[in-house]
Amino acid sequence: MSVKHIILGILSWKPSSGYEIKTEVEYKGRELGWGKVSFGSIYPKLKELELEGLVNCKEVSQTERQTKMYDLTNKGWAELSDWLRSNPTYPVVRDELLMKMSFWNYVPNLSIDCLIAHLNNRKINSEKMLEHLRDWECNDVSSIGNLAAYSFEYLKLQLETEIKWINQTIEKLLLNEQQPHKDPMNLVQESHKRYQKTVE
Amino acid sequence: MSVKHIILGILSWKPSSGYEIKTEVEYKGRELGWGKVSFGSIYPKLKELELEGLVNCKEVSQTERQTKMYDLTNKGWAELSDWLRSNPTYPVVRDELLMKMSFWNYVPNLSIDCLIAHLNNRKINSEKMLEHLRDWECNDVSSIGNLAAYSFEYLKLQLETEIKWINQTIEKLLLNEQQPHKDPMNLVQESHKRYQKTVE
DNA sequence: TTGGACATGTAACGGGTTACATGATTGA
DNA sequence: TCAATCATGTAACCCGTTACATGTCCAA
């Protein structure tokens, strides 16, 4: 899981320039569960891969703009294949919204409206992504392997679940309903006391 | 979203040593959507935070083992509060399983059984996490704020959705059912041709 | 003629992990 | 007495981003 394998994977789709790889990641990355990749990591990595003999490079310059087109070598296909067969690592998410919710109770003087605003914001973004996903499925230029289509389905399900959860959660917060929670050591109260003492 | 805020957040729960912070992240991190944090980043960061005046440190050493207990200062509470109020960034996931599925079709000679094994593996891990989550809710020592409980709910829903999706996907793969996919430019075939040429 | 997409690159920095080093205390 | 847990720290490294520098081609 790294820029290296993203590059090799995209080159398996078709020979591409560094610039094209970037736009490909930009465009499909969100949908397919990749992160982002910057030029600053693509170009040096391509050179490295060339040195390793995993890709080769042809300069195209005739009528067209000068461009370096990369393609997989024998060794590159093998490396990609090996990686695909190796067991994927379990994803570790660092979700800032969830983190904030974990701490929200313990800090006094925080408005619940502010948290609701965060949730709404998240919802708007997720709805945008969902829409983007559906648009993409409707367009008739993009290719998508049938297995990639399954990962599409995954993303859609997760986004739908998330939106549902946000709606429910906001509703509960507005009703000021208390989720059954437990605090055997009275940490929330303790925190507020400590806060008072410190700020006093 | 960083080690800094994780530390401040945990200190809002209760004063802790670097070691305790680590175990706290270890134990609750998975459930609450944080990543992992290593000692190598906790200890230097605590010193830094002390210099910035966000936390203070008391050495405890009497009968007990020598320990540095940290707590939030006035400024630390303020910083935490500011961060909580600021709009969370939208999470970017890099999911290796999804990435591999995006590329699977384009590389010849990959067994579908191998992909099914990856999916099963993921399922096992997710089931373990789900179980862990449920255990945690039942134990009677851990505190959890009512808002943290909502993020718990989120994680549970996402895991359940994921497991359902895995089951469906494996079933489809076993039936060799073709997901409606599109390939207007015949990229899959093209890739296989390119592969043949390169490997020949 | 000018701004925007195309195209490539590098140096500085950032934020973390890994691996290593050290040592006290506790329980089997 | 020996392994496990508690406890702290640092230096080397990794992998990426940001910011900058440079230049072409095309269309409004």
Side-chain angles (χ1 to χ4, degrees), chain A residues 44-62:
Chain A
K45 187 57 74 177
L46 278 169
K47 286 200 169 171
E48 209 180 291
L49 294 175
E50 203 186 355
L51 275 174
E52 284 184 66
L54 298 176
V55 304
N56 57 36
C57 172
K58 271 182 207 152
E59 298 229 13
V60 181
S61 46
Q62 35 267 54

Side-chain angles (χ1 to χ4, degrees), chain B residues 96-114:
Chain B
E96 209 178 329
L97 176 61
L98 296 188
M99 277 179 56
K100 290 188 178 182
M101 288 182 77
S102 318
F103 299 133
W104 205 269
N105 287 121
Y106 299 87
V107 180
N109 306 326
L110 284 175
S111 135
I112 207 71
D113 291 337
C114 180

Side-chain angles (χ1 to χ4, degrees), chain B residues 17-35:
Chain B
S17 65
Y19 192 87
E20 282 176 310
I21 289 171
K22 173 77 163 32
T23 51
E24 203 67 22
V25 174
E26 204 92 312
Y27 188 57
K28 295 199 185 147
R30 308 194 281 174
E31 287 83 351
L32 296 171
W34 317 342

Side-chain angles (χ1 to χ4, degrees), chain B residues 30-71:
Chain B
R30 308 194 281 174
E31 287 83 351
L32 296 171
W34 317 342
K36 294 181 175 186
V37 188
S38 62
F39 285 129
S41 50
I42 289 177
Y43 287 120
K45 187 58 72 176
L46 277 168
K47 286 200 170 171
E48 208 180 291
L49 293 176
E50 203 186 356
L51 276 175
E52 284 184 66
L54 299 176
V55 304
N56 58 36
C57 172
K58 272 181 203 151
E59 298 230 15
V60 180
S61 47
Q62 34 268 51
T63 30
E64 309 164 54
R65 210 185 249 100
Q66 177 225 318
T67 304
K68 294 186 176 178
M69 294 299 283
Y70 290 89
D71 197 0

Side-chain angles (χ1 to χ4, degrees), chain A residues 87-126:
Chain A
N87 194 29
T89 57
Y90 196 81
V92 178
V93 232
R94 184 165 288 175
D95 189 322
E96 210 177 329
L97 176 62
L98 296 188
M99 276 178 56
K100 290 188 176 180
M101 288 182 77
S102 319
F103 299 133
W104 205 269
N105 286 119
Y106 300 88
V107 180
N109 306 327
L110 284 176
S111 135
I112 207 71
D113 291 336
C114 180
L115 181 59
I116 290 175
H118 291 347
L119 283 162
N120 262 318
N121 210 294
R122 170 75 162 254
K123 183 180 158 188
I124 288 165
N125 275 297
S126 290

